[in-house]
Amino acid sequence: MAATVAGLCVVPQAAAGSTLDWGACPFPSKAECTTVKVPLDYENTDAGSIDMVVSRTRSTNPPARRGVLIVNQGGPAPHANDTFEIFPRSLTDAYDIISFDQRGFGRSAPVRCQVPASRDTLIPWPQPGGFAEDVSVAKQIARNCVEQGGPVIAHMGTAYVARDMEVLRKALGESKISYLGMSYGSYLGTAYASLFPEHTDRVLLVSVSSPDRMWRGHWQRSLGEGFALRFPDFARHVGQPVDEVYPRLVTLTKQLDRAPLQTPRGVLDGNVLRAAIYAAMYNDGQLPMLASLAHAVAAGDAATAGDMALQLGAWRPTDRAAAMLGVSCSDGDWPRSMSVYQREVHADAVRYPLFAGAGSNVWPCAFWPYPVDERVRANPRGPQNILIINNVRDPSTPLANAQELRAAFGDRARLVTVEQGGHNAYLYSPNVCANDAGTAFLLGATAHDKNCVEIDNGTTGAAGVGDRQGRVVDGHHAGPW
């Protein structure tokens, strides 16, 4: 499955060893910034260009500098102003850390279009009017984005972003780059390593997306089997069996569908609770907040419920929904038949009732008028320089994604599985085994397939189950509701 983006023009060449004009960033930062011009449309380079904002944090030990490490921490999202305090000193010694706002985001020709507040996270939670309203909302968002999104929104696929990275590599004057991509960033890394394998040094892909499932299949798996594999960690936290806890949450979401709870923070309806439940699974530290939220909803405690939902990001506003659609709709094929969505929504709602079929629901991409960018698939031909790290119980990027990607890359890649739950398996995780494996690889160590065992952090496992009587632990309700 060699990666190809057929019919595209060759990326414009930059002079070898060319320099960029670095200066102050357009935001508060210790980094320095520059802009790199990239073609708007790689199939028609006469269509104009985009100024892509790039940031650089220089090596903290220049004599030990290995090269540049381009970092994308997921999203899709702007990343030029990311900070890397969490990086170990050995990495900041070895690399200039490079990040950038990918096309359509942040300060790189940002796109905007009107998206209802109920859809600003993109997950198509069921609308009160049923599937007919789901279709109507998706169609209106697509229409808004066509009218308001400008020319960039038609050219935002991940293959184009990978080609932008190749322009950046040449502008940096580097023969090879190293790359760290987390979550969506792993898909971008897959694209670059597949299109330009000869220009990669170390490629670390963390909590990975499966190229064969982007994007509809990603959400079907995440809101389906991914959540199902992670949910028992929450049940253990509250000290109750899964087959008791899960139906209670389903009941609470349906209760809020019928009668939303008016809280000081906002209206808490069934979809807000669904969003909070899903968000809580990303990190063990958020499971106590979900327990408190569920208990407060059951008790009619509007103040506590509002506070917990807010902390879990259920009402987190975003101005990048349009740009995220630009990527998602350009990366994969979306069914055009509404009967396909309706049939699969019904099947999902039966199998995974908590999310009411959202994983298979209709997206604006079903009405997207722009041609789909050529999909990138993992290219097994190239250097053996790719390491994949994934949690076993990751709700967003399930382990099956990593296993598929490992197989697709063949001998180019190795896989570290981490016996723990949650999203982000490297640096944002306390698992020393996984963190050491990733850092050693980026510093030049040979990668091996391996398994890292779970550590007991007091949230899951035996130490996290003890309170079965509904007492308050660390300010959060830990028992049944």
Side-chain angles (χ1 to χ4, degrees):
M1 292 192 300
T4 349
V5 178
L8 295 182
C9 298
V10 176
V11 173
Q13 297 289 318
S18 63
T19 59
L20 292 168
D21 184 17
W22 296 94
C25 293
F27 44 80
S29 177
K30 297 178 181 178
E32 53 188 351
C33 287
T34 190
T35 58
V36 175
K37 286 193 179 299
V38 297
L40 169 66
D41 183 355
Y42 282 95
E43 292 184 326
N44 177 18
T45 53
D46 293 330
S49 62
I50 296 169
D51 285 335
M52 183 172 72
V53 174
V54 181
S55 67
R56 175 177 69 179
T57 303
R58 290 180 179 270
S59 162
T60 48
N61 185 8
R65 182 183 181 278
R66 178 187 177 95
V68 299
L69 177 67
I70 297 181
V71 182
N72 184 299
Q73 298 191 82
H79 287 294
N81 62 344
D82 283 2
T83 57
F84 303 102
E85 286 86 355
I86 198 169
F87 280 19
R89 177 63 185 260
S90 57
L91 283 187
T92 61
D93 281 353
Y95 290 104
D96 291 345
I97 308 298
I98 306 291
S99 197
F100 63 96
D101 287 350
Q102 71 185 69
R103 54 174 57 216
F105 290 85
R107 294 169 175 82
S108 298
V111 301
R112 299 281 188 272
C113 62
Q114 187 176 357
V115 176
S118 62
R119 294 293 298 276
D120 65 5
T121 61
L122 291 194
I123 298 177
W125 304 113
Q127 297 297 306
F131 184 72
E133 186 177 354
D134 295 335
V135 172
S136 176
V137 169
K139 189 178 295 186
Q140 185 60 54
I141 293 173
R143 186 179 300 119
N144 291 347
C145 288
V146 170
E147 294 173 354
Q148 304 163 13
V152 176
I153 203 167
H155 303 290
M156 292 185 62
T158 300
Y160 271 28
V161 183
R163 290 182 176 274
D164 293 346
M165 280 178 54
E166 178 62 358
V167 175
L168 173 58
R169 177 194 68 79
K170 293 173 180 177
L172 291 168
E174 300 285 339
S175 61
K176 294 185 178 183
I177 60 171
S178 290
Y179 180 82
L180 167 59
M182 304 175 179
S183 197
Y184 165 77
S186 71
Y187 183 50
L188 176 56
T190 294
Y192 186 85
S194 297
L195 289 166
F196 308 103
E198 69 278 14
H199 293 304
T200 58
D201 179 12
R202 309 262 95 185
V203 179
L204 178 56
L205 308 178
V206 181
S207 305
V208 305
S209 302
S210 173
D212 293 337
R213 300 185 69 89
M214 300 300 277
W215 278 84
R216 186 163 187 261
H218 167 85
W219 288 109
Q220 287 175 315
R221 176 175 276 176
S222 177
L223 293 172
E225 63 186 81
F227 180 83
L229 289 169
R230 171 62 162 155
F231 189 78
D233 289 341
F234 177 65
R236 282 192 293 273
H237 170 72
V238 299
Q240 296 292 311
V242 169
D243 59 4
E244 293 182 12
V245 178
Y246 190 94
R248 289 192 198 122
L249 287 180
V250 172
T251 298
L252 290 180
T253 58
K254 291 182 177 179
Q255 170 188 314
L256 292 174
D257 283 338
R258 294 188 301 269
L261 185 63
Q262 306 294 322
T263 84
R265 302 292 191 175
V267 178
L268 205 168
D269 61 15
N271 287 339
V272 171
L273 180 56
R274 290 181 182 100
I277 292 168
Y278 180 66
M281 299 296 140
Y282 272 52
N283 188 299
D284 284 347
Q286 296 179 147
L287 299 182
M289 297 180 199
L290 176 56
S292 290
L293 171 57
H295 186 267
V297 169
D301 180 353
T304 300
D307 287 345
M308 292 300 102
L310 185 68
Q311 289 186 46
L312 287 169
W315 290 301
R316 182 179 297 132
T318 178
D319 62 355
R320 55 187 172 95
M324 293 170 74
L325 280 173
V327 176
S328 302
C329 299
S330 297
D331 271 344
D333 298 314
W334 294 80
R336 298 290 178 169
S337 169
M338 294 303 102
S339 64
V340 171
Y341 292 98
Q342 191 167 24
R343 181 174 64 251
E344 294 185 2
V345 165
H346 176 74
D348 261 14
V350 172
R351 190 175 182 187
Y352 307 111
L354 186 56
F355 292 144
S360 291
N361 209 354
V362 60
W363 278 53
C365 302
F367 307 100
W368 211 247
Y370 306 115
V372 173
D373 288 341
E374 188 76 15
R375 292 180 62 180
V376 174
R377 302 186 184 278
N379 181 1
R381 295 190 292 273
Q384 187 189 95
N385 65 348
I386 299 170
L387 180 64
I388 301 164
I389 304 180
N390 217 94
N391 289 340
V392 170
R393 302 185 306 281
D394 187 325
S396 178
T397 54
L399 180 61
N401 291 356
Q403 294 167 331
E404 290 171 0
L405 187 60
R406 166 70 174 86
F409 269 129
D411 200 47
R412 289 190 67 190
R414 296 294 183 265
L415 171 61
V416 174
T417 57
V418 189
E419 296 281 348
Q420 64 185 14
H423 193 46
N424 285 332
Y426 173 64
L427 295 184
Y428 293 93
S429 158
N431 192 290
V432 175
C433 170
N435 291 335
D436 286 352
T439 300
F441 170 76
L442 287 174
L443 295 177
T446 301
H448 300 281
D449 291 316
K450 66 182 295 185
N451 182 64
C452 291
V453 300
E454 186 165 18
I455 64 170
D456 181 7
N457 64 8
T459 303
T460 61
V465 174
D467 198 319
R468 297 177 181 269
Q469 303 304 315
R471 296 192 294 272
V472 173
V473 179
D474 294 333
H476 298 289
H477 199 283
W481 54 86

